[in-house]
Amino acid sequence: MSERIKTPRGTFDVLGEAALARAELEKTAKAILERAGYERIETPTFEATALFARGVGESTDVVQKEMYSFDDGGGSSITLRPEGTAPVCRAYLEHGMHKLAQPVKLWYLGAFFRAERPQHGRYRQFWQVGAEAIGSDDPAVDAESIVLLAEILEALKVQARLRVSSLGTPGTRAEYKTELQAYLRAHEHDLSGEVRERIDLNPLRAFDADHAGTRQVMENAPRLLDRLTDEDREHFETVRALLDGAGLAYEVDPALVRGLDYYTRTVFEFTSDALGAQSGVGGGGRYDGLIEQIGGPHTPGMGWAAGVERMLLAAPPAPTAPPPLDLYVAYAKPEHRAAAFRLAADARRAGHAAQLELGGRSLKGQLKRANSAGARYVAILGDEGTALKDMESGEQQVIEPDTVMHHITHGT
Ligand code: HAM
């Protein structure tokens, strides 16, 4: 025998109970988002590499070291999507969605890819559910978007802590970045090597560091929240007032940094203690400059994404029921197979969940199988005609073959 081939590192199969739990999660997210007027969108699994380089930002970890990029076979570089916001913005532009009533509200669920070091809650292929509202800078968009993710997490019984902040506008951020860089340089000898190396490229990441010396330096670092323009401050205060009005508990975290570069104004993150090191369940924010970055006109946007695996890991195990089975069609001899086959197909066409014996079992084995599959009725086709067994009462009666459907529909 040759060596068995396994799943690639950081990927996994989804089956059995896990597949049922995912289907439930999808149903919950869909119901909550579609109630709020979000429509489903699916974008391709791979996109032009430039979309992420320009959209997500050259200086981010995602673009610098986590993208699966390759030649498309024709000399163009394509990338397995590491996130969904840039693709949704690309689709908004490509389909002229600015002509629709604004904001355009879209949601998605799909697989994303990042070449990260795999660990508990961190994979190389993972799923996200996400929601984007494009075309309005109303702070109510921000608040509603956050409330919707809170609602999904609550429905899934995920206990998560919400942190919010504002990153202001790119101009404010640029000035602040210079101020922060100067501060970090002044304390260079107390910082970790990694933070020191990134002072030029991404000084904000210093707020994220675990290194004790760095953390101490960051306690007194200048905060972007204290440097916001009046307009940005007002926007943030309105978002907060709306969240307060909705009764959503949150914490303002001036050190909240997100791993992607496109954020402006509001940013937020839900974290769960149930997850260990990878505590981020979901997060997002406003990205008023992203569409311009990828070649469109100035268009504000706001959204979030939440990790499907992380939500499932953080949620208490929910009992998952296997799908119901109305009818199991068993038969005594090979010559009854064609009639059994037809009966199962007819039952399904009539809207019943019906399965045919496919394992070549003895009649006794077939009844056992029907029982373990949770069948409500078993039809047994034999020389003496068709018998219908009610698996709840255990009663069995011989019936006219063409009345099976009538019996299982009316429960007689
Ligand atoms: P993100 O914070 O990079 O944001 O990812 C969102 C969520 O995806 C994370 O909170 C986490 O639950 C999950 N996630 C990320 N990487 C992994 C991984 N390697 N393994 C498992 N789960 C992971 C975004 O992607 C933005 N597009 C969110 C957004 C939408 N912002 C505005 N609109």
Side-chain angles (χ1 to χ4, degrees):
M1 257 200 300
S2 53
E3 196 190 335
R4 214 170 55 184
I5 298 168
K6 299 195 180 140
T7 52
R9 238 156 67 79
T11 69
F12 55 88
D13 301 313
V14 178
L15 63 157
E17 294 265 311
L20 293 176
R22 259 169 200 257
E24 273 305 307
L25 182 148
E26 175 164 358
K27 218 162 86 183
T28 303
K30 176 182 160 72
I32 290 172
L33 292 168
E34 292 187 353
R35 268 202 308 255
Y38 280 73
E39 288 178 27
R40 182 90 182 228
I41 182 169
E42 291 300 342
T43 60
T45 304
F46 55 77
E47 295 269 359
T49 300
L51 175 66
F52 301 112
R54 273 158 57 186
V56 173
E58 295 279 7
S59 68
T60 58
D61 280 354
V62 169
V63 170
Q64 286 218 327
K65 47 187 189 197
E66 294 171 3
M67 296 210 299
Y68 289 106
S69 300
F70 48 95
D71 189 287
D72 72 346
S76 302
S77 176
I78 54 174
T79 293
L80 292 181
R81 55 182 187 183
E83 65 99 48
T85 311
V88 169
C89 288
R90 186 224 12 91
Y92 176 92
L93 282 175
E94 211 165 307
H95 299 278
M97 289 192 233
H98 63 281
K99 293 192 215 105
L100 306 175
Q102 307 294 301
V104 173
K105 296 180 286 185
L106 301 165
W107 80 278
Y108 49 89
L109 186 140
F112 294 84
F113 307 85
R114 294 183 192 176
E116 297 192 82
R117 198 167 41 78
Q119 62 181 81
H120 184 66
R122 187 163 76 187
Y123 313 101
R124 293 183 159 183
Q125 172 170 343
F126 56 97
W127 274 258
Q128 283 186 346
V129 51
E132 314 288 351
I134 304 175
S136 165
D137 61 7
D138 189 328
V141 173
D142 309 34
E144 186 178 79
S145 169
I146 298 172
V147 163
L148 287 170
L149 179 51
E151 211 186 308
I152 292 172
L153 295 175
E154 193 187 328
L156 299 171
K157 301 192 171 67
V158 171
Q159 304 238 351
R161 192 165 68 97
L162 169 62
R163 290 175 301 140
V164 300
S165 189
S166 174
L167 300 181
T169 40
T172 318
R173 235 156 108 188
E175 277 173 30
Y176 168 74
K177 193 170 158 185
T178 312
E179 185 186 353
L180 181 62
Q181 282 166 331
Y183 175 83
L184 292 174
R185 284 203 193 92
H187 296 84
E188 213 160 349
H189 43 278
D190 294 324
L191 302 174
S192 73
E194 203 184 330
V195 168
R196 212 177 312 136
E197 270 166 34
R198 297 183 73 107
I199 292 180
D200 282 330
L201 201 58
N202 200 347
L204 274 166
R205 291 307 290 268
F207 285 107
D208 243 2
D210 291 328
H211 177 255
T214 307
R215 290 186 82 103
Q216 209 167 357
V217 171
M218 297 322 286
E219 267 173 30
N220 297 314
R223 305 278 170 161
L224 181 53
L225 263 187
D226 302 324
R227 303 287 185 272
L228 297 184
T229 62
D230 290 345
E231 263 192 329
D232 291 346
R233 186 172 308 118
E234 202 178 302
H235 184 97
F236 189 47
E237 275 165 15
T238 310
V239 173
R240 291 186 52 185
L242 289 167
L243 294 179
D244 292 337
L248 194 62
Y250 63 87
E251 198 182 296
V252 175
D253 179 359
L256 178 59
V257 279
R258 306 260 314 130
L260 313 163
D261 261 3
Y262 47 61
Y263 293 111
T264 52
R265 294 188 155 174
T266 314
V267 283
F268 74 98
E269 201 154 80
F270 283 92
T271 50
S272 163
D273 292 337
L275 285 174
Q278 302 303 312
S279 62
V281 181
R286 189 162 267 292
Y287 44 88
D288 293 344
L290 172 54
I291 291 198
E292 253 169 313
Q293 284 291 321
I294 61 168
H298 174 77
T299 314
M302 164 79 202
W304 51 258
V308 168
E309 294 79 17
R310 294 206 192 158
M311 287 191 280
L312 291 172
L313 281 171
T320 48
L325 179 58
D326 304 319
L327 179 68
Y328 196 92
V329 184
Y331 56 94
K333 294 181 186 159
E335 50 265 41
H336 304 125
R337 178 164 41 208
F341 187 92
R342 213 167 39 239
L343 175 57
D346 285 349
R348 284 192 294 262
R349 214 170 289 128
H352 299 292
Q355 289 183 32
L356 171 70
E357 165 59 25
L358 293 173
R361 293 175 183 82
S362 67
L363 197 52
K364 198 171 149 208
Q366 294 181 50
L367 289 171
K368 251 170 94 176
R369 173 74 204 115
N371 191 37
S372 64
R376 178 70 183 81
Y377 291 97
V378 183
I380 306 154
L381 278 63
D383 289 340
E384 294 77 42
T386 299
L388 191 67
K389 181 165 182 175
D390 181 329
M391 298 296 275
E392 252 170 37
S393 66
E395 274 169 32
Q396 186 168 322
Q397 53 174 328
V398 175
I399 56 165
E400 289 299 318
D402 55 6
T403 64
V404 172
M405 235 69 85
H406 176 87
H407 279 90
I408 64 175
T409 304
H410 300 286
T412 52

Short mmCIF file of all heavy atoms in Angstrom, two decimals, residues 66-118:
data_model
loop_
_atom_site.label_atom_id
_atom_site.label_comp_id
_atom_site.label_asym_id
_atom_site.label_seq_id
_atom_site.Cartn_x
_atom_site.Cartn_y
_atom_site.Cartn_z
N GLU A 66 0.91 36.41 4.55
CA GLU A 66 -0.11 35.38 4.73
C GLU A 66 -0.91 35.04 3.48
O GLU A 66 -1.85 34.26 3.54
CB GLU A 66 -1.07 35.81 5.85
CG GLU A 66 -0.38 35.87 7.20
CD GLU A 66 -1.24 36.49 8.28
OE1 GLU A 66 -2.41 36.84 8.01
OE2 GLU A 66 -0.72 36.63 9.41
N MET A 67 -0.55 35.64 2.34
CA MET A 67 -1.37 35.39 1.16
C MET A 67 -0.88 34.20 0.35
O MET A 67 0.32 34.02 0.16
CB MET A 67 -1.43 36.63 0.28
CG MET A 67 -2.10 37.80 0.97
SD MET A 67 -2.93 38.92 -0.16
CE MET A 67 -1.60 39.50 -1.17
N TYR A 68 -1.82 33.39 -0.13
CA TYR A 68 -1.51 32.33 -1.08
C TYR A 68 -1.68 32.93 -2.47
O TYR A 68 -2.79 33.05 -2.97
CB TYR A 68 -2.46 31.15 -0.90
CG TYR A 68 -2.22 30.37 0.37
CD1 TYR A 68 -3.07 30.47 1.46
CD2 TYR A 68 -1.12 29.52 0.46
CE1 TYR A 68 -2.84 29.75 2.61
CE2 TYR A 68 -0.89 28.79 1.62
CZ TYR A 68 -1.75 28.91 2.69
OH TYR A 68 -1.52 28.20 3.83
N SER A 69 -0.54 33.37 -3.04
CA SER A 69 -0.58 34.00 -4.35
C SER A 69 0.14 33.12 -5.35
O SER A 69 1.14 32.48 -5.02
CB SER A 69 0.11 35.36 -4.30
OG SER A 69 -0.53 36.20 -3.36
N PHE A 70 -0.36 33.09 -6.56
CA PHE A 70 0.28 32.29 -7.59
C PHE A 70 -0.08 32.81 -8.98
O PHE A 70 -1.02 33.61 -9.12
CB PHE A 70 -0.10 30.81 -7.46
CG PHE A 70 -1.58 30.58 -7.30
CD1 PHE A 70 -2.38 30.29 -8.40
CD2 PHE A 70 -2.19 30.68 -6.05
CE1 PHE A 70 -3.75 30.09 -8.25
CE2 PHE A 70 -3.56 30.49 -5.90
CZ PHE A 70 -4.33 30.20 -7.00
N ASP A 71 0.67 32.35 -9.96
CA ASP A 71 0.42 32.76 -11.33
C ASP A 71 -0.83 32.04 -11.83
O ASP A 71 -1.03 30.86 -11.58
CB ASP A 71 1.64 32.35 -12.17
CG ASP A 71 1.56 32.92 -13.56
OD1 ASP A 71 0.74 32.42 -14.37
OD2 ASP A 71 2.30 33.87 -13.85
N ASP A 72 -1.69 32.76 -12.53
CA ASP A 72 -2.95 32.15 -12.98
C ASP A 72 -2.76 31.30 -14.23
O ASP A 72 -3.73 30.80 -14.81
CB ASP A 72 -4.01 33.23 -13.23
CG ASP A 72 -3.73 34.06 -14.47
OD1 ASP A 72 -2.59 34.00 -15.00
OD2 ASP A 72 -4.64 34.77 -14.93
N GLY A 73 -1.51 31.13 -14.65
CA GLY A 73 -1.25 30.33 -15.83
C GLY A 73 -1.11 31.21 -17.07
O GLY A 73 -0.71 30.74 -18.13
N GLY A 74 -1.44 32.48 -16.91
CA GLY A 74 -1.36 33.40 -18.05
C GLY A 74 -0.52 34.62 -17.73
O GLY A 74 -0.64 35.65 -18.39
N GLY A 75 0.28 34.54 -16.66
CA GLY A 75 1.18 35.65 -16.34
C GLY A 75 0.62 36.67 -15.37
O GLY A 75 1.27 37.65 -15.05
N SER A 76 -0.62 36.45 -14.87
CA SER A 76 -1.18 37.39 -13.89
C SER A 76 -1.15 36.73 -12.51
O SER A 76 -1.37 35.53 -12.39
CB SER A 76 -2.64 37.71 -14.21
OG SER A 76 -2.73 38.26 -15.49
N SER A 77 -0.91 37.57 -11.50
CA SER A 77 -0.87 37.03 -10.15
C SER A 77 -2.27 37.06 -9.54
O SER A 77 -2.94 38.09 -9.52
CB SER A 77 0.10 37.85 -9.30
OG SER A 77 0.06 37.37 -7.96
N ILE A 78 -2.69 35.90 -9.05
CA ILE A 78 -3.98 35.83 -8.35
C ILE A 78 -3.74 35.31 -6.93
O ILE A 78 -2.70 34.71 -6.64
CB ILE A 78 -5.01 34.94 -9.08
CG1 ILE A 78 -4.44 33.54 -9.35
CG2 ILE A 78 -5.47 35.59 -10.37
CD1 ILE A 78 -5.46 32.59 -9.94
N THR A 79 -4.71 35.58 -6.04
CA THR A 79 -4.55 35.26 -4.63
C THR A 79 -5.83 34.63 -4.09
O THR A 79 -6.93 35.12 -4.38
CB THR A 79 -4.22 36.55 -3.84
OG1 THR A 79 -2.93 37.00 -4.24
CG2 THR A 79 -4.22 36.32 -2.34
N LEU A 80 -5.67 33.55 -3.33
CA LEU A 80 -6.82 32.98 -2.63
C LEU A 80 -7.27 34.01 -1.61
O LEU A 80 -6.46 34.47 -0.80
CB LEU A 80 -6.44 31.69 -1.90
CG LEU A 80 -6.08 30.49 -2.78
CD1 LEU A 80 -5.73 29.28 -1.88
CD2 LEU A 80 -7.23 30.13 -3.71
N ARG A 81 -8.51 34.39 -1.62
CA ARG A 81 -8.96 35.53 -0.81
C ARG A 81 -8.66 35.35 0.68
O ARG A 81 -9.06 34.35 1.29
CB ARG A 81 -10.46 35.74 -1.00
CG ARG A 81 -11.27 34.49 -0.69
CD ARG A 81 -12.75 34.72 -0.93
NE ARG A 81 -13.52 33.57 -0.47
CZ ARG A 81 -14.82 33.47 -0.59
NH1 ARG A 81 -15.52 34.43 -1.14
NH2 ARG A 81 -15.45 32.40 -0.14
N PRO A 82 -7.92 36.30 1.27
CA PRO A 82 -7.65 36.22 2.71
C PRO A 82 -8.76 36.88 3.52
O PRO A 82 -8.81 36.71 4.74
CB PRO A 82 -6.34 36.99 2.87
CG PRO A 82 -6.34 37.98 1.76
CD PRO A 82 -7.14 37.38 0.62
N GLU A 83 -9.63 37.65 2.85
CA GLU A 83 -10.72 38.35 3.54
C GLU A 83 -11.76 38.74 2.51
O GLU A 83 -11.51 38.60 1.30
CB GLU A 83 -10.17 39.56 4.31
CG GLU A 83 -9.57 40.65 3.45
CD GLU A 83 -10.54 41.78 3.22
OE1 GLU A 83 -11.15 42.26 4.19
OE2 GLU A 83 -10.71 42.19 2.05
N GLY A 84 -12.91 39.24 2.98
CA GLY A 84 -14.02 39.44 2.06
C GLY A 84 -14.39 40.88 1.74
O GLY A 84 -15.19 41.11 0.82
N THR A 85 -13.83 41.84 2.46
CA THR A 85 -14.29 43.22 2.28
C THR A 85 -13.83 43.81 0.94
O THR A 85 -14.64 44.39 0.21
CB THR A 85 -13.79 44.09 3.44
OG1 THR A 85 -14.13 43.42 4.65
CG2 THR A 85 -14.46 45.45 3.44
N ALA A 86 -12.54 43.63 0.62
CA ALA A 86 -12.04 44.15 -0.66
C ALA A 86 -12.79 43.51 -1.84
O ALA A 86 -13.21 44.22 -2.75
CB ALA A 86 -10.52 43.96 -0.76
N PRO A 87 -13.01 42.18 -1.82
CA PRO A 87 -13.80 41.59 -2.92
C PRO A 87 -15.22 42.15 -3.03
O PRO A 87 -15.71 42.39 -4.12
CB PRO A 87 -13.83 40.10 -2.58
CG PRO A 87 -12.59 39.87 -1.79
CD PRO A 87 -12.39 41.12 -0.99
N VAL A 88 -15.88 42.37 -1.88
CA VAL A 88 -17.25 42.90 -1.94
C VAL A 88 -17.24 44.32 -2.50
O VAL A 88 -18.09 44.69 -3.31
CB VAL A 88 -17.94 42.83 -0.56
CG1 VAL A 88 -19.25 43.60 -0.56
CG2 VAL A 88 -18.20 41.37 -0.17
N CYS A 89 -16.23 45.11 -2.14
CA CYS A 89 -16.11 46.47 -2.68
C CYS A 89 -15.83 46.42 -4.19
O CYS A 89 -16.36 47.22 -4.95
CB CYS A 89 -15.02 47.25 -1.96
SG CYS A 89 -15.50 47.69 -0.28
N ARG A 90 -15.00 45.47 -4.59
CA ARG A 90 -14.73 45.31 -6.03
C ARG A 90 -16.03 44.98 -6.77
O ARG A 90 -16.34 45.53 -7.82
CB ARG A 90 -13.68 44.19 -6.24
CG ARG A 90 -13.25 44.06 -7.66
CD ARG A 90 -13.13 42.67 -8.25
NE ARG A 90 -13.65 41.52 -7.57
CZ ARG A 90 -14.88 41.05 -7.73
NH1 ARG A 90 -15.74 41.64 -8.53
NH2 ARG A 90 -15.27 39.98 -7.08
N ALA A 91 -16.84 44.09 -6.17
CA ALA A 91 -18.11 43.70 -6.79
C ALA A 91 -19.07 44.90 -6.85
O ALA A 91 -19.77 45.10 -7.83
CB ALA A 91 -18.74 42.54 -6.03
N TYR A 92 -19.07 45.71 -5.78
CA TYR A 92 -19.92 46.91 -5.73
C TYR A 92 -19.60 47.81 -6.93
O TYR A 92 -20.50 48.29 -7.62
CB TYR A 92 -19.66 47.63 -4.40
CG TYR A 92 -20.38 48.95 -4.22
CD1 TYR A 92 -21.62 49.01 -3.60
CD2 TYR A 92 -19.80 50.14 -4.64
CE1 TYR A 92 -22.27 50.22 -3.40
CE2 TYR A 92 -20.44 51.36 -4.46
CZ TYR A 92 -21.67 51.39 -3.84
OH TYR A 92 -22.31 52.59 -3.66
N LEU A 93 -18.30 48.00 -7.19
CA LEU A 93 -17.88 48.84 -8.31
C LEU A 93 -18.20 48.18 -9.65
O LEU A 93 -18.75 48.81 -10.55
CB LEU A 93 -16.37 49.07 -8.25
CG LEU A 93 -15.88 50.11 -7.24
CD1 LEU A 93 -14.35 50.12 -7.22
CD2 LEU A 93 -16.41 51.50 -7.61
N GLU A 94 -17.86 46.90 -9.74
CA GLU A 94 -18.00 46.20 -11.01
C GLU A 94 -19.45 46.11 -11.47
O GLU A 94 -19.73 46.09 -12.65
CB GLU A 94 -17.39 44.79 -10.87
CG GLU A 94 -16.79 44.28 -12.14
CD GLU A 94 -15.89 43.07 -11.89
OE1 GLU A 94 -14.97 43.17 -11.05
OE2 GLU A 94 -16.12 42.03 -12.54
N HIS A 95 -20.37 46.06 -10.51
CA HIS A 95 -21.79 45.92 -10.86
C HIS A 95 -22.56 47.24 -10.75
O HIS A 95 -23.79 47.23 -10.74
CB HIS A 95 -22.44 44.85 -9.98
CG HIS A 95 -21.81 43.50 -10.18
ND1 HIS A 95 -22.14 42.66 -11.22
CD2 HIS A 95 -20.82 42.88 -9.50
CE1 HIS A 95 -21.38 41.58 -11.16
NE2 HIS A 95 -20.57 41.69 -10.12
N GLY A 96 -21.83 48.34 -10.66
CA GLY A 96 -22.48 49.66 -10.62
C GLY A 96 -23.51 49.77 -9.50
O GLY A 96 -24.58 50.35 -9.68
N MET A 97 -23.19 49.21 -8.35
CA MET A 97 -24.18 49.20 -7.26
C MET A 97 -24.41 50.58 -6.66
O MET A 97 -25.33 50.75 -5.87
CB MET A 97 -23.77 48.19 -6.18
CG MET A 97 -23.92 46.74 -6.62
SD MET A 97 -23.78 45.61 -5.22
CE MET A 97 -22.52 44.50 -5.79
N HIS A 98 -23.59 51.57 -7.06
CA HIS A 98 -23.82 52.94 -6.58
C HIS A 98 -25.16 53.46 -7.11
O HIS A 98 -25.71 54.41 -6.59
CB HIS A 98 -22.67 53.86 -7.00
CG HIS A 98 -22.57 54.00 -8.49
ND1 HIS A 98 -21.98 53.03 -9.28
CD2 HIS A 98 -23.00 54.96 -9.35
CE1 HIS A 98 -22.04 53.40 -10.56
NE2 HIS A 98 -22.67 54.57 -10.62
N LYS A 99 -25.69 52.79 -8.17
CA LYS A 99 -26.97 53.24 -8.74
C LYS A 99 -28.15 52.73 -7.92
O LYS A 99 -29.28 53.17 -8.11
CB LYS A 99 -27.10 52.73 -10.18
CG LYS A 99 -26.09 53.35 -11.14
CD LYS A 99 -26.45 53.03 -12.58
CE LYS A 99 -25.23 52.83 -13.46
NZ LYS A 99 -24.98 51.41 -13.78
N LEU A 100 -27.91 51.78 -7.05
CA LEU A 100 -29.00 51.24 -6.21
C LEU A 100 -29.23 52.17 -5.02
O LEU A 100 -28.45 53.09 -4.77
CB LEU A 100 -28.61 49.84 -5.68
CG LEU A 100 -28.21 48.80 -6.73
CD1 LEU A 100 -27.74 47.52 -6.04
CD2 LEU A 100 -29.39 48.50 -7.65
N ALA A 101 -30.31 51.94 -4.29
CA ALA A 101 -30.55 52.72 -3.06
C ALA A 101 -29.40 52.45 -2.10
O ALA A 101 -29.00 51.30 -1.89
CB ALA A 101 -31.88 52.29 -2.44
N GLN A 102 -28.84 53.51 -1.52
CA GLN A 102 -27.69 53.39 -0.61
C GLN A 102 -28.15 53.42 0.85
O GLN A 102 -29.12 54.12 1.14
CB GLN A 102 -26.70 54.53 -0.88
CG GLN A 102 -26.27 54.64 -2.34
CD GLN A 102 -25.45 53.45 -2.83
OE1 GLN A 102 -24.40 53.16 -2.29
NE2 GLN A 102 -25.93 52.75 -3.84
N PRO A 103 -27.52 52.78 1.76
CA PRO A 103 -26.39 51.90 1.52
C PRO A 103 -26.84 50.55 0.94
O PRO A 103 -27.95 50.10 1.19
CB PRO A 103 -25.82 51.70 2.93
CG PRO A 103 -27.01 51.81 3.83
CD PRO A 103 -27.90 52.83 3.19
N VAL A 104 -25.93 49.94 0.18
CA VAL A 104 -26.16 48.59 -0.32
C VAL A 104 -25.67 47.65 0.78
O VAL A 104 -24.53 47.77 1.25
CB VAL A 104 -25.38 48.36 -1.64
CG1 VAL A 104 -25.47 46.90 -2.07
CG2 VAL A 104 -25.92 49.28 -2.72
N LYS A 105 -26.55 46.74 1.22
CA LYS A 105 -26.21 45.88 2.37
C LYS A 105 -26.06 44.44 1.89
O LYS A 105 -27.00 43.86 1.36
CB LYS A 105 -27.31 45.98 3.44
CG LYS A 105 -27.39 47.40 4.02
CD LYS A 105 -28.46 47.53 5.08
CE LYS A 105 -29.84 47.54 4.49
NZ LYS A 105 -30.89 47.78 5.50
N LEU A 106 -24.87 43.90 2.06
CA LEU A 106 -24.57 42.57 1.53
C LEU A 106 -23.97 41.69 2.62
O LEU A 106 -23.22 42.17 3.47
CB LEU A 106 -23.55 42.70 0.39
CG LEU A 106 -24.02 43.58 -0.79
CD1 LEU A 106 -22.84 43.95 -1.69
CD2 LEU A 106 -25.10 42.88 -1.61
N TRP A 107 -24.31 40.40 2.59
CA TRP A 107 -23.69 39.47 3.55
C TRP A 107 -23.14 38.27 2.81
O TRP A 107 -23.55 37.97 1.68
CB TRP A 107 -24.66 39.07 4.66
CG TRP A 107 -25.65 38.01 4.31
CD1 TRP A 107 -26.83 38.19 3.64
CD2 TRP A 107 -25.58 36.61 4.61
NE1 TRP A 107 -27.49 37.00 3.52
CE2 TRP A 107 -26.75 36.01 4.10
CE3 TRP A 107 -24.64 35.82 5.26
CZ2 TRP A 107 -27.00 34.64 4.21
CZ3 TRP A 107 -24.89 34.45 5.38
CH2 TRP A 107 -26.06 33.89 4.86
N TYR A 108 -22.18 37.60 3.43
CA TYR A 108 -21.54 36.46 2.77
C TYR A 108 -21.13 35.42 3.79
O TYR A 108 -20.97 35.72 4.99
CB TYR A 108 -20.32 36.90 1.96
CG TYR A 108 -19.35 37.79 2.70
CD1 TYR A 108 -18.29 37.26 3.46
CD2 TYR A 108 -19.51 39.18 2.68
CE1 TYR A 108 -17.42 38.08 4.15
CE2 TYR A 108 -18.63 40.01 3.36
CZ TYR A 108 -17.59 39.45 4.10
OH TYR A 108 -16.73 40.28 4.79
N LEU A 109 -20.95 34.21 3.30
CA LEU A 109 -20.41 33.14 4.13
C LEU A 109 -19.57 32.27 3.21
O LEU A 109 -20.05 31.84 2.17
CB LEU A 109 -21.53 32.32 4.75
CG LEU A 109 -21.06 31.27 5.75
CD1 LEU A 109 -22.02 31.22 6.93
CD2 LEU A 109 -20.98 29.90 5.14
N GLY A 110 -18.32 32.08 3.56
CA GLY A 110 -17.48 31.29 2.67
C GLY A 110 -16.13 31.03 3.28
O GLY A 110 -15.86 31.40 4.42
N ALA A 111 -15.28 30.37 2.48
CA ALA A 111 -13.95 29.99 2.93
C ALA A 111 -12.94 31.08 2.59
O ALA A 111 -13.03 31.70 1.53
CB ALA A 111 -13.53 28.68 2.27
N PHE A 112 -12.02 31.32 3.51
CA PHE A 112 -10.95 32.30 3.33
C PHE A 112 -9.63 31.63 3.66
O PHE A 112 -9.61 30.58 4.32
CB PHE A 112 -11.21 33.53 4.21
CG PHE A 112 -12.45 34.26 3.76
CD1 PHE A 112 -13.70 33.87 4.18
CD2 PHE A 112 -12.34 35.30 2.85
CE1 PHE A 112 -14.85 34.51 3.70
CE2 PHE A 112 -13.47 35.94 2.37
CZ PHE A 112 -14.73 35.56 2.80
N PHE A 113 -8.53 32.22 3.19
CA PHE A 113 -7.24 31.52 3.25
C PHE A 113 -6.15 32.45 3.74
O PHE A 113 -5.97 33.54 3.19
CB PHE A 113 -6.89 31.01 1.85
CG PHE A 113 -8.00 30.19 1.24
CD1 PHE A 113 -9.04 30.81 0.55
CD2 PHE A 113 -8.03 28.82 1.39
CE1 PHE A 113 -10.08 30.07 0.01
CE2 PHE A 113 -9.07 28.07 0.85
CZ PHE A 113 -10.09 28.69 0.17
N ARG A 114 -5.44 32.04 4.77
CA ARG A 114 -4.28 32.81 5.23
C ARG A 114 -3.19 31.83 5.63
O ARG A 114 -3.44 30.87 6.37
CB ARG A 114 -4.64 33.68 6.45
CG ARG A 114 -5.64 34.78 6.10
CD ARG A 114 -5.94 35.69 7.27
NE ARG A 114 -7.10 36.52 6.97
CZ ARG A 114 -7.68 37.37 7.80
NH1 ARG A 114 -7.18 37.52 9.02
NH2 ARG A 114 -8.73 38.06 7.44
N ALA A 115 -1.97 32.08 5.15
CA ALA A 115 -0.85 31.21 5.46
C ALA A 115 -0.32 31.54 6.85
O ALA A 115 0.76 32.08 7.01
CB ALA A 115 0.25 31.38 4.41
N GLU A 116 -1.14 31.26 7.88
CA GLU A 116 -0.73 31.52 9.26
C GLU A 116 -0.24 30.22 9.87
O GLU A 116 -0.55 29.14 9.38
CB GLU A 116 -1.92 32.04 10.07
CG GLU A 116 -2.45 33.35 9.56
CD GLU A 116 -3.42 33.99 10.54
OE1 GLU A 116 -2.94 34.63 11.49
OE2 GLU A 116 -4.62 33.85 10.35
N ARG A 117 0.46 30.34 11.00
CA ARG A 117 0.90 29.13 11.72
C ARG A 117 -0.34 28.55 12.38
O ARG A 117 -0.99 29.20 13.19
CB ARG A 117 1.96 29.49 12.75
CG ARG A 117 2.78 28.31 13.23
CD ARG A 117 4.00 28.79 14.00
NE ARG A 117 3.68 29.92 14.88
CZ ARG A 117 3.07 29.80 16.08
NH1 ARG A 117 2.73 28.63 16.54
NH2 ARG A 117 2.82 30.87 16.81
N PRO A 118 -0.72 27.31 12.00
CA PRO A 118 -1.97 26.78 12.54
C PRO A 118 -1.90 26.52 14.04
O PRO A 118 -0.85 26.14 14.55
CB PRO A 118 -2.13 25.43 11.80
CG PRO A 118 -1.19 25.48 10.66
CD PRO A 118 -0.08 26.39 11.05
#
